């Protein structure tokens, strides 16, 4: 393969990824006409059409899609290897993008990163908070944060927090009007504050376990949020029972503003883990993040 062929393939990957000559040309720092001419020459050398062009869009042909799927991971590995060479510089630099839940961000990740980032002025961190199950490879995140039981087996997982549990709680005012549930099934008919999952669009079914018996309860109520933090305020205001991480409500329970229920049905599970693709060599910037977040019991 000639040196020009390598450049041409990189330019093809940019067009196939962006589905636009205009965007790809801006990304590559070249003109649209030069880019189009280069792709046409590549197609001529290979003897096969790689892209279908219309006045409004660009899309890979079947052959182009096959080439893209084959080459893209290999060039990503090369880029990761080149990024690792930054280790020879004095200070880590570059951007690290993480996807995580609001609870993980506020209770684990930000408290650990806050005292560290000031030591690395060339390091930039982008924290994307929602409660979805993001595909970090497809969505171009460097890493994600999930509960240990949810991390895919082909990922490297680093524990960043202790085990914890979800608990059900409501205000004393609410329970002055409604009976206290003794079993998870008793939640049916109660006003429960629901959580909508971003990835699947459905309402989270509350999960309980006791003596090896697992139960999932689909609850109902007036309020639904897509974040756990405001659910606590709704419960404090008497709108119903919330089911949230214990550390968000423990002080309210201790001070009597909330009443804990179904305590014996709420068991701990593996805490938060940072995860990233196993085939990627850690960049110095990512290494800083991993070490800052690593759980030390």
């Amino acid at each position: 393969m000639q040196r020009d062929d390598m450049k041409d393939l990189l330019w093809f990957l940019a067009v196939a990824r962006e589905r636009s000559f205009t965007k790809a040309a801006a990304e590559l720092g070249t003109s649209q006409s030069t880019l189009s001419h280069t792709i046409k020459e590549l197609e001529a050398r290979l003897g096969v059409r790689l892209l279908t062009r219309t006045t409004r869009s660009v899309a890979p042909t079947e052959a182009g899609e096959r080439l893209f799927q084959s080459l893209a991971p290999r060039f990503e590995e090369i880029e990761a290897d080149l990024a690792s060479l930054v280790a020879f510089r004095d200070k880590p630099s570059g951007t690290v993008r993480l996807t995580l839940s609001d609870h993980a961000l506020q209770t684990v990740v930000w408290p650990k990163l806050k005292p560290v980032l000031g030591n690395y002025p060339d390091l930039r961190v982008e924290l994307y908070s929602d409660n979805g199950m993001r595909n970090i490879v497809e969505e171009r995140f460097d890493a994600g944060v999930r509960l240990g039981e949810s991390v895919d087996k082909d990922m490297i997982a680093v524990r960043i927090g202790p085990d914890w549990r979800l608990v059900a709680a409501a205000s004393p005012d609410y329970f002055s009007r409604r009976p206290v549930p003794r079993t998870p099934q008793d939640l049916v008919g109660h006003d429960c504050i629901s959580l909508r999952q971003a990835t699947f669009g459905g309402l989270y079914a509350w999960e309980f376990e006791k003596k090896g018996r697992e139960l999932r309860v689909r609850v109902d109520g007036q309020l639904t949020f897509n974040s756990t933090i405001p659910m606590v305020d709704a419960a404090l205001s008497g709108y119903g029972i919330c089911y949230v991480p214990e550390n968000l409500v423990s002080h309210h329970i201790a001070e009597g503003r909330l009443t804990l229920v179904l305590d014996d049905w709420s068991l701990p599970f593996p805490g938060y883990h940072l995860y990233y693709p196993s085939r990627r060599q850690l960049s110095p910037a990512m290494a800083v993040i991993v070490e800052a977040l690593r759980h030390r019991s």
Side-chain angles (χ1 to χ4, degrees), residues 14 29 70 87-88 111 128 137 160 184 187 227 247:
S70 174
F88 292 101
Y128 185 89
V137 175
I160 63 173
L187 293 170
S227 168
N247 60 359

Side-chain angles (χ1 to χ4, degrees), residues 29-90:
T30 189
S31 68
Q32 186 175 343
S33 60
T34 299
L35 178 56
S36 179
H37 180 70
T38 299
I39 298 301
K40 287 180 180 178
E41 286 189 337
L42 175 62
E43 291 175 324
R45 289 199 302 275
L46 295 177
V48 64
R49 178 171 289 239
L50 299 174
L51 298 170
T52 299
R53 305 165 176 82
T54 69
T55 56
R56 294 187 177 181
S57 65
V58 178
T61 62
E62 182 176 355
E65 183 65 25
R66 181 174 178 178
L67 181 62
F68 178 82
Q69 294 297 335
S70 174
L71 291 181
R74 300 178 191 181
F75 278 102
E76 285 181 3
E77 290 180 5
I78 293 173
E79 290 173 355
D81 289 339
L82 291 174
S84 70
L85 297 179
V86 181
F88 292 101
R89 294 175 53 174
D90 292 335

Side-chain angles (χ1 to χ4, degrees), residues 253-283:
I253 294 170
E255 296 173 11
R257 291 187 291 271
L258 290 176
T259 300
L260 177 67
V261 295
L262 303 174
D263 183 36
D264 55 341
W265 280 93
S266 300
L267 300 184
F269 41 77
Y272 287 124
H273 286 64
L274 182 77
Y275 67 98
Y276 52 90
S278 58
R279 62 180 174 81
R280 288 187 181 174
Q281 184 173 353
L282 280 185
S283 68

